[in-house]
């Protein structure tokens, strides 16, 4: 279908040194020198070149190399990918180019070279600075490896994000708090905090059903999120999205694209593409259409996603959406009454309670235009 230009590009690198106990992402543990990785990267390079020829990459403003563990595939393959990107689109400093990396595969050469090849934002999968928690999660690195990786990355990058995990069974408040404090001491510019979810088809799920792992506890997770919010805000971080904190100027533009209805192109196994025009939005993954939304459903989705962000949803967008969603104003007013959202400075914004009860908040908004989300 005729569609708006893609403005965000995601490349999926589905390889890791080992699988973590909680992971249900599309990735595989594989030897670093496997020809499978070479073939995959060659295919990815061809796909990037093809999309460039088709004129699909001319408006890309953000790039994200995610996984899996992109840093695991090594410098020569990453160089090939980044060089291909530089030939295929405008890879200038104003284009945010993020790459995910895990501490055990970060070294000085990698940092120096990916920076020189155009990566300007590094997202490190740290999860915790507590070695017992890291062992429980099945991570391939220690807390010391994570510290070393951050310090090493800071030689070139000022835009460094780390992921931390909250509400892990057996993770004390003290352990979680000291991980956040350690991140602050190290001076990273962005922190994402995810509560652990135990997904089926993971070792954690097997442990859970055998009674060897306690289930996650919503109250503990909410408490950890509150600890993080307090500490990070005291240190000048803004919680700009339910799980994302940034120092001023360091919000992730690529992730913001996902939350603000910006069309994105995903290349590689399991990478989602979102394509849209005025009346239709589709998401496509591995050649299959996974979502096909009409105009009313698009507005409901945009408002739902906007409620993940502290900026919320502008009056202007609500006014436009209300033409397609007749019960929108009534629903927003009811959500205000129940304390899930508030209206201030010409926008409807989630409250702390709205974020804590996210499923209820997001569900009610999506219900305004029922469909296959
Ligand atoms: S490093 Fe990330 S993608 Fe790889 S197995 Fe662990 S959680 Fe999954």
């Amino acid at each position: 279908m005729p569609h708006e230009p893609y403005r965000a590009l995601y490349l999926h690198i589905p390889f890791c040194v080992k699988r973590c106990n909680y992971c249900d992402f599309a990735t595989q543990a594989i030897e670093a020198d496997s020809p499978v990785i070479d073939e995959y990267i060659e295919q990815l390079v061809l796909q990037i070149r093809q999309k460039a020829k088709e004129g699909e990459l001319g408006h890309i403003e953000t790039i994200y190399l995610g996984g899996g563990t992109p840093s695991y595939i090594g410098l020569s393959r990453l160089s090939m990918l980044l060089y291909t990107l530089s030939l295929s689109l405008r890879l200038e400093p104003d284009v945010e180019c993020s790459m995910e990396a895990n501490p055990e595969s970060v070294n000085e050469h990698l940092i120096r070279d990916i920076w020189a090849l155009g990566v300007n934002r590094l997202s490190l999968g740290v999860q915790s600075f507590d070695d017992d928690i890291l062992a429980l999660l099945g991570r391939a690195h220690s807390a010391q490896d994570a510290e070393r990786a951050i310090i090493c990355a800071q030689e070139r990058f000022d835009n460094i994000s780390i992921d931390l995990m909250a509400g892990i069974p057996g993770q004390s408040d003290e352990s979680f708090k000291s991980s956040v404090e350690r991140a602050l001491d190290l001076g990273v510019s962005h922190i994402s905090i995810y509560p652990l979810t135990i997904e089926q088809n993971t070792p954690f799920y097997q442990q859970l059903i055998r009674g060897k792992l306690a289930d996650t506890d919503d109250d503990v997770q909410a408490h950890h999120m509150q600890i993080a919010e307090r500490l990070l805000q005291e240190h000048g971080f803004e919680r700009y999205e339910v799980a994302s904190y940034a120092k001023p100027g360091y919000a992730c533009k690529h992730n913001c694209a996902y939350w603000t209805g910006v069309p994105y192109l995903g290349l590689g196994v399991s990478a989602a593409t979102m394509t849209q025009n005025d009346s239709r939005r589709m998401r496509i993954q591995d050649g299959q259409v996974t979502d096909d939304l009409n105009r009313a459903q698009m507005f409901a989705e945009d408002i739902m996603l906007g409620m993940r962000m502290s900026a919320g949803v502008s009056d202007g967008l609500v006014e436009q959406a209300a033409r397609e969603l007749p019960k929108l104003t009534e629903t927003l007013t009811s959500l205000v009454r129940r304390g899930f959202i508030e209206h201030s400075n010409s926008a409807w914004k989630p409250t702390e309670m709205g974020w804590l009860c996210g499923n209820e908040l997001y569900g009610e908004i999506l219900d305004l235009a029922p469909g296959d989300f």
Side-chain angles (χ1 to χ4, degrees):
M1 73 176 186
H3 63 86
E4 294 169 14
Y6 296 117
R7 286 172 32 215
L9 173 66
Y10 176 81
L11 303 179
H12 191 64
I13 313 291
F15 307 108
C16 293
V17 62
K18 62 180 286 216
R19 274 200 88 100
C20 303
N21 289 334
Y22 58 92
C23 181
D24 78 333
F25 302 141
T27 190
Q28 58 172 307
I30 192 168
E31 294 293 327
D33 59 0
S34 167
V36 171
I37 306 182
D38 297 314
E39 276 163 40
Y40 183 88
I41 298 301
E42 279 160 28
Q43 284 304 314
L44 205 47
V45 162
L46 290 176
Q47 286 178 46
I48 297 168
R49 296 302 294 149
Q50 181 63 29
K51 290 295 174 191
K53 259 193 226 151
E54 291 167 8
E56 299 281 25
L57 305 182
H59 293 81
I60 296 294
E61 294 162 8
T62 67
I63 303 163
Y64 198 101
L65 282 78
T69 311
S71 54
Y72 179 57
I73 66 171
L75 202 44
S76 70
R77 294 168 179 134
L78 285 171
S79 300
M80 199 191 329
L81 264 187
L82 291 164
Y83 180 62
T84 304
L85 286 174
S86 71
L87 295 177
S88 312
L89 50 79
R90 207 179 57 80
L91 189 54
E92 301 292 328
D94 64 308
V95 172
E96 182 186 89
C97 181
S98 301
M99 190 183 107
E100 288 182 346
N102 275 347
E104 72 280 359
S105 49
V106 165
N107 59 48
E108 280 164 30
H109 296 299
L110 182 102
I111 292 297
R112 202 182 48 211
D113 288 8
I114 60 170
W115 169 259
L117 286 161
V119 177
N120 51 28
R121 181 175 184 276
L122 201 68
S123 176
L124 282 164
V126 169
Q127 316 310 344
S128 171
F129 287 99
D130 179 332
D131 281 331
D132 292 338
I133 295 293
L134 291 171
L136 176 76
L137 294 173
R139 299 289 297 177
H141 61 88
S142 64
Q144 204 183 3
D145 292 335
E147 293 184 6
R148 186 197 46 78
I150 292 168
I151 292 165
C152 175
Q154 284 168 333
E155 287 293 317
R156 286 285 189 281
F157 290 83
D158 66 338
N159 198 345
I160 298 175
S161 176
I162 66 164
D163 290 348
L164 291 177
M165 206 173 266
I168 303 163
Q171 182 184 34
S172 65
D173 294 351
E174 200 40 55
S175 165
F176 176 73
K177 183 166 169 269
S178 52
S179 284
V180 177
E181 287 169 339
R182 192 71 199 107
L184 286 167
D185 287 346
L186 286 160
V188 297
S189 49
H190 186 284
I191 303 182
S192 299
I193 312 258
Y194 298 106
L196 172 73
T197 50
I198 299 180
E199 307 287 353
Q200 288 191 6
N201 302 319
T202 62
F204 264 5
Y205 186 75
Q206 291 306 318
Q207 291 174 24
L208 177 71
I209 55 178
R210 287 197 202 109
K212 297 198 165 147
L213 182 76
D215 205 350
T216 54
D217 180 325
D218 289 350
D219 292 339
V220 172
Q221 296 199 328
H223 184 51
H224 285 183
M225 296 306 267
Q226 282 164 342
I227 291 174
E229 176 163 49
R230 185 181 51 75
L231 274 174
L232 291 169
Q233 286 182 345
E234 274 171 17
H235 287 80
F237 281 73
E238 189 206 347
R239 187 180 189 182
Y240 69 98
E241 189 262 346
V242 58
S244 311
Y245 295 82
K247 285 188 182 162
Y250 288 96
C252 176
K253 293 179 194 160
H254 185 86
N255 285 343
C256 287
Y258 292 147
W259 303 316
T260 51
V262 169
Y264 49 86
L265 175 67
L267 298 178
V269 169
S270 288
T273 291
M274 190 274 263
T275 185
Q276 70 181 7
N277 56 31
D278 242 15
S279 56
R280 191 174 183 194
R281 172 180 294 170
M282 286 199 289
R283 261 184 291 273
I284 301 155
Q285 203 175 8
D286 297 326
Q288 305 289 319
V289 175
T290 55
D291 291 303
D292 192 348
L293 311 186
N294 62 29
R295 190 169 158 79
Q297 291 166 333
M298 283 165 68
F299 274 122
E301 186 174 77
D302 285 345
I303 291 175
M304 180 276 286
L305 290 172
M307 291 302 174
R308 294 183 60 122
M309 304 189 68
S310 59
V313 180
S314 69
D315 282 348
L317 178 59
V318 167
E319 200 180 307
Q320 262 186 299
R323 290 183 210 127
E324 303 288 336
L325 306 169
K327 292 207 168 141
L328 177 59
T329 313
E330 192 186 313
T331 301
L332 293 179
T333 310
S334 154
L335 289 166
V336 169
R337 205 172 44 243
R338 286 177 287 146
F340 291 142
I341 63 173
E342 62 191 12
H343 187 262
S344 64
N345 299 326
S346 311
W348 303 80
K349 301 171 183 175
T351 59
E352 177 71 29
M353 186 170 98
W355 271 343
L356 284 173
C357 308
N359 288 346
E360 210 174 323
L361 167 61
Y362 309 144
E364 275 195 44
I365 294 169
L366 290 181
D367 282 347
L368 291 165
D372 249 356
F373 285 99

